Amino acid sequence: MTTSGIPLLGPRAQSPEPKAQGREPGAESREPRALSFRRLGLVPYAEALALQEQLVNERRAGSLGDTVLLLEHPPVITRGVRNRQSAANLVASADELDRQGVELFETGRGGDITYHGPGQLVGYPILDLRPDRCDVHRYVRDLEEVLIRAIASFGVRGIRVPGLTGVWVGPEGAESKIAAIGIRISRWITSHGFALNVSTDLRHFDFIVPCGIVDRGVTSLEHVLDRPIAMADVQSAVEVAMTEVFR
């Protein structure tokens, strides 16, 4: 079954599994990770950034366990370290962004330029990857797997695209991005994270070249399924998938 050209999973279908990762000696005897989730609602980007910095310090000091922030932002365009000195992928002028009520923010995450706004589920995992997950590429692939599993619970088949980061839907060569990933890791403590389009106003992506990728589009869960999706249901799906993948 397809909607808008996007393949949907049948009721018994499973999300594609990533290639098996090697386990370090002694991993079998370790206690499963305990993740704490905080649903924060609509949070201005600068406030969320300050909160992440505080929690990273607490996680490093050992006064906080592994924590995942789930929230939405007011309309904001963020530029990662790769795009900070260039406006090449920012299409809209400062005046137009101001008229549309869209903030522009320079950030310390990896990646290029992206848009956040209401209807987009943003996840900021504050995790200590030590001792057994000290692999940046594995961490990114694990976040992709979380999102693939989460949208699979709504019947949508998410995929990876070779050479690109994030989660995509649609036929090969004409995929649309449904979730973006941009992370920061400092001494194996993570911050920033992922953004999953649920009911996002996709017109705002016209202000940028999302992640600097010119030949693919952007979509959302509601656009793919052609029906309303409750943000709380998506948050629950992400929490389940995150607990499974990071156990």
Side-chain angles (χ1 to χ4, degrees), residues 1-8 169-172 174-176 223-224:
M1 181 172 64
T2 61
T3 299
S4 301
I6 306 300
L8 305 184
V169 297
E172 182 176 357
E175 303 92 347
S176 294
H223 184 76
V224 171

Side-chain angles (χ1 to χ4, degrees), residues 141-151 160 194 237-239 241-243 245-246:
R141 299 292 87 78
D142 283 345
L143 290 181
E144 289 172 345
E145 179 64 16
V146 166
L147 298 166
I148 287 170
R149 294 187 186 197
I151 66 175
R160 296 174 176 87
F194 60 83
V238 166
E239 290 171 358
M242 193 97 188
T243 301
V245 172
F246 285 88

